[in-house]
Amino acid sequence: MSSLLDTLIPGDADFPTPGAVGLHDALVMHVRFGGPYLQVTSLLPKGFALLPQEERAKVLSQIEQKHPLIFNGLIVGVYSLYYTEPKVAIVIERLTGHTARPPQPAGHQLVPFDPKFLTIPAARAQLYRPTPETDNA
Amino acid sequence: MTDVVIVGAGASGGAAAWRLARAGFKVTCLEQGGWIDPDATPSLRPDWEIARQTTHHPNPNVRAAPQDYPVDDTEAAIKPFLYNAVGGSTILWGAHFPRFRPSDFRTKTLDGVGDDWPISYEDLAPYYEENDRMMGVSGLAGDPGNPPRDNRQMPPVPLGRAGKRMARAFDQLDWHWWPADVAINTEPYGEGRGACNNCGPCDLGCPHGARSATDVSYWPQAIAAGVQLRTGARVFEVEIDAQGKASGVVWYDRQGQVQRTRASVVALAANGLGTARLMLLSTSKRFPNGLANDTDLVGRRLMHHPTGMVTGRFLDEMDGWAGPFAVSILSQQFYETDVTRGFVRGYQMQLLRSDGPVGTAVGGYLPRVPWGQGHHARFRDVFGHTASLTVTTEDLPRMENRVILSTHLTDMDGIPAPKTIYSLDQNTKKMIAHGIDRATEAFNVAGAADIAAQSLVADAGFHLLGTACMGADQATSVTDSNSRTHSVPNLLILDGSVFTTAAALNPTSTIQALALRAADALTRDRAEIKVAS
């Protein structure tokens, strides 16, 4: 069913298609995302895979309009599994610097706060409103 | 038999349990969730972003974990956002830690709207200080937007590229801004708690204990002080005796067996949703409409913080995936009432960083990246290139915004679920519209390439307030100034339910300060408190 997934995320010179990273198997096996995927798959017309890309997109747009909740579940599942796929993460790291590893335990450098930024805001006048209690304090 | 039984081990339950145990009370706390293992955080896994869509989703209806209860939100403009565990919703919070302003306690006197609190900022100030010390706060003194106060325990979190850009924009506009006060360690602080390593997704947990939550701040000390904490304990009724005094609570254990804990004092700390639900469930001949509900106020006056959001996309990289996602800088330029704006009260703008790859693609700050041709081009344009300003508005209490019991939804033990009924009034809508215009102006000055706005973030029901409100008049409030219910003197409400008004900023430090203050009042008055016979 790579024709469905590759229509959703066609891939380009940098990014692989979902079919190329084995997303079909990951989706089918996923406890939450498998359901919407199979539901949308069941709604596809015969010969969907043989249609040109533009025609496949039209079919999917119609399904999205008729079954928005199911289709939304599919998109969340496809995007979630695609963008956590290690081969995709490596592309993102190369393009953006976002490291292809979990946020922890390494994290990112914690740069000390530079107080020079506060020259202007610290010089402002009192902005909070007095109350009867603050007046009496 | 225990002196005090506390229902809920979250922000307020943990704080009060610690304080009461240190004062010599025998304290038992019942929590329907369990302990969260910090070493099991999804942030350590490659699929960490999937957890946000599934097991760690903030909406209990999506997460659907065994310890959760569903929420009927079919008539609510804002969806629930909470967690059930030791630590409560601090388990998945962003750790914003501002204090109310003095005017927040006096909306009726100053602006003729809402109600005045029966206490003042000055009454609460020492408890804010104590709570800061326990939770650990990073930030800076000297903010002209708030009363003078002691130095925070640690310096602020880094601004990040977007924070610096927006700070300059605020300066150009001559608007207030200041580094946010946050309950995140920028240096090691507390028992075994390390420093933040700028990883980003604080909401998924922190293996270093740098992002504070009550499971790593209050609870270790509360347990050391003798508090008995029972997890997997789902309380479904507060019992009263023939005189109408609270005598204890009834709960299901993990095996579904009914258990009973008798106590001299019952304290509810289950948030503005769970506490109202429990009070409404606890009917009796004395209280046929729910515990301490003579005035029909229990569950009413539900307040959130209706939130608009504006996101700017910059051509240069902002690297917003690094750094605590929810905290950087904030502006309170439009916080106080200015009637020329066409509304009363005001709002705060908070700068958010951005998402990881999945969050960017699925959407949140910006609409979802479209599927089909052009998908990756759009992904490249937005990933790491955005920052967002939330417009967090004051939510004034309205009787029609409320929590009731669902007629058809139950949790796994068959207990009726809460239902929220919630809408925005015109004043709030005007505030959000004004805030969106101002945030858009700020992004324009900052040089954003394009800007998108959301008039209401639906998944923003993280502040659950006002459903058992505090007041001086027994006819128009549920609790007194010490968080003790008027009609059941040995029943305390410790969570955000007691808020008289909501202010326009994150409430956790105020919730916890109120809980500490309630604990001290109970300690002071313990000889006079009438308990169940």
Side-chain angles (χ1 to χ4, degrees):
Chain A
M1 287 313 298
S2 293
S3 58
L4 164 61
L5 301 175
D6 293 356
T7 306
L8 296 173
I9 303 179
D12 62 15
D14 294 309
F15 284 97
T17 62
V21 296
L23 211 65
H24 167 78
D25 291 344
L27 270 168
V28 168
M29 288 189 294
H30 197 277
V31 67
R32 293 214 188 199
F33 300 147
Y37 178 49
L38 295 176
Q39 284 178 290
V40 172
T41 302
S42 72
L43 296 170
L44 297 176
K46 283 185 180 174
F48 175 80
L50 302 175
L51 295 172
Q53 171 91 7
E54 295 76 17
E55 293 302 313
R56 293 201 303 262
K58 282 182 186 171
V59 169
L60 293 181
S61 291
Q62 289 167 356
I63 294 174
E64 183 175 27
Q65 286 175 7
K66 284 185 182 172
H67 306 279
L69 286 178
I70 296 171
F71 201 86
N72 177 63
L74 169 69
I75 294 296
V76 171
V78 170
Y79 285 9
S80 295
L81 293 179
Y82 178 80
Y83 281 105
T84 50
E85 159 62 40
K87 289 173 185 152
V88 175
I90 286 171
V91 174
I92 294 172
E93 179 176 273
R94 177 166 53 80
L95 295 176
T96 72
H98 179 266
T99 48
R101 57 164 169 75
Q104 293 285 3
H108 307 285
Q109 185 184 9
L110 187 80
V111 181
F113 180 82
D114 186 348
K116 79 178 182 196
F117 288 100
L118 290 172
T119 306
I120 294 173
R124 295 189 188 287
Q126 174 182 320
L127 193 64
Y128 62 94
R129 207 156 34 145
T131 62
E133 291 82 7
T134 50
D135 284 346
N136 295 331
Chain B
M1 182 80 173
T2 188
D3 292 336
V4 183
V5 62
I6 298 174
V7 180
S12 62
W18 167 77
R19 193 73 159 188
L20 290 168
R22 296 244 307 190
F25 285 93
K26 184 179 175 186
V27 179
T28 300
C29 183
L30 303 173
E31 166 56 50
Q32 64 191 323
W35 286 92
I36 301 298
D37 177 2
D39 292 329
T41 170
S43 300
L44 290 158
R45 306 196 309 252
D47 65 347
W48 60 280
E49 282 199 281
I50 294 177
R52 276 179 164 162
Q53 309 294 335
T54 55
T55 57
H56 287 63
H57 197 287
N59 186 331
N61 295 334
V62 177
R63 192 172 60 238
Q67 71 274 18
D68 288 321
Y69 53 86
V71 179
D72 184 344
D73 59 8
T74 51
E75 293 184 52
I78 294 177
K79 307 304 177 190
F81 185 120
L82 55 89
Y83 205 74
N84 295 302
V86 177
S89 296
T90 63
I91 292 296
L92 48 63
W93 70 329
H96 250 291
F97 221 59
R99 296 180 183 185
F100 277 25
R101 287 180 166 198
S103 66
D104 291 323
F105 296 87
R106 295 289 174 266
T107 63
K108 187 74 172 177
T109 296
L110 295 175
D111 296 318
V113 294
D115 293 290
D116 287 348
W117 289 59
I119 59 172
S120 67
Y121 175 89
E122 288 72 18
D123 292 325
L124 214 49
Y127 295 99
Y128 277 130
E129 292 294 337
E130 178 71 341
N131 191 52
D132 281 4
R133 187 185 67 77
M134 289 297 293
M135 293 288 284
V137 178
S138 299
L140 269 182
D143 176 10
N146 285 273
R149 52 187 269 204
D150 290 350
N151 287 329
R152 283 60 161 177
Q153 285 74 32
M154 293 158 278
V157 297
L159 299 184
R161 289 182 182 175
K164 292 173 187 173
R165 180 77 73 96
M166 297 309 294
R168 283 193 289 270
F170 287 138
D171 285 342
Q172 284 179 256
L173 289 162
D174 198 22
W175 291 355
H176 166 270
W177 72 271
W178 202 255
D181 284 321
V182 302
I184 294 173
N185 287 359
T186 51
E187 299 168 350
Y189 182 85
E191 289 183 24
R193 296 178 49 207
C196 173
N197 66 355
N198 225 25
C199 82
C202 302
D203 53 317
L204 295 179
C206 181
H208 309 285
R211 192 227 40 195
S212 192
T214 49
D215 64 331
V216 297
S217 57
Y218 276 105
W219 273 111
Q221 296 196 47
I223 289 168
V227 177
Q228 297 294 311
L229 174 57
R230 294 289 301 262
T231 58
R234 176 171 271 158
V235 178
F236 61 91
E237 185 180 1
V238 178
E239 292 187 311
I240 62 169
D241 67 5
Q243 285 71 48
K245 308 291 184 302
S247 57
V249 296
V250 195
W251 48 282
Y252 288 114
D253 64 20
R254 281 202 175 94
Q255 287 71 45
Q257 300 298 308
V258 174
Q259 305 287 346
R260 192 169 259 102
T261 299
R262 289 184 53 78
S264 300
V265 173
V266 174
L268 305 184
N271 78 43
L273 196 52
T275 286
R277 175 197 189 202
L278 181 54
M279 294 174 79
L280 293 171
L281 284 166
S282 302
T283 57
S284 61
K285 189 179 287 185
R286 167 66 184 86
F287 296 109
N289 299 317
L291 186 62
N293 196 20
D294 295 322
T295 53
D296 190 30
L297 282 167
V298 171
R300 292 191 184 272
R301 297 167 62 105
L302 171 67
M303 296 174 285
H304 299 295
H305 286 118
T307 297
M309 185 181 291
V310 177
T311 297
R313 183 182 69 86
F314 296 90
L315 294 179
D316 41 339
E317 292 182 352
M318 293 291 116
D319 296 346
W321 31 263
F325 78 102
V327 293
S328 172
I329 65 172
L330 56 82
S331 173
Q332 295 186 340
Q333 181 66 30
F334 306 100
Y335 195 91
E336 303 283 3
T337 294
D338 177 346
V339 292
T340 65
R341 297 179 192 139
F343 53 84
V344 289
R345 305 301 297 161
Y347 58 87
Q348 170 174 283
M349 291 187 283
Q350 298 173 189
L351 187 68
L352 306 181
R353 300 176 202 252
S354 62
D355 260 328
V358 172
T360 300
V362 168
Y365 300 135
L366 282 174
R368 168 180 300 158
V369 175
W371 59 267
Q373 292 293 340
H375 173 86
H376 284 307
R378 177 63 180 166
F379 180 84
R380 283 188 188 87
D381 280 349
V382 294
F383 178 65
H385 286 259
T386 68
S388 302
L389 281 169
T390 61
V391 177
T392 305
T393 62
E394 170 137 13
D395 195 7
L396 292 165
R398 293 160 61 212
M399 293 291 277
E400 60 267 38
N401 284 340
R402 63 188 301 201
V403 176
I404 61 175
L405 297 178
S406 173
T407 55
H408 64 281
L409 270 184
T410 65
D411 62 25
M412 287 181 67
D413 289 309
I415 306 168
K419 174 176 182 172
T420 53
I421 300 170
Y422 184 87
S423 62
L424 279 64
D425 66 8
Q426 285 304 312
N427 190 66
T428 304
K429 290 176 182 174
K430 287 179 183 174
M431 267 194 275
I432 292 176
H434 189 274
I436 285 174
D437 286 347
R438 297 290 77 72
T440 301
E441 187 179 357
F443 275 116
N444 274 322
V445 169
D450 45 66
I451 300 165
Q454 299 178 50
S455 58
L456 180 67
V457 181
D459 289 318
F462 23 62
H463 303 153
L464 303 158
L465 309 168
T467 52
C469 66
M470 173 184 286
D473 182 351
Q474 294 192 23
T476 58
S477 58
V478 177
T479 83
D480 65 14
S481 62
N482 294 319
S483 306
R484 209 173 298 161
T485 60
H486 296 301
S487 52
V488 184
N490 65 335
L491 175 67
L492 271 65
I493 312 295
L494 297 173
D495 53 54
S497 306
V498 299
F499 276 36
T500 309
T501 55
L505 40 75
N506 313 62
T508 304
S509 71
T510 303
I511 290 172
Q512 293 183 301
L514 286 165
L516 294 176
R517 187 174 181 277
D520 277 10
L522 184 67
T523 303
R524 187 184 63 232
D525 301 340
R526 65 192 303 178
E528 303 166 17
I529 302 251
K530 291 176 182 169
V531 300
S533 52

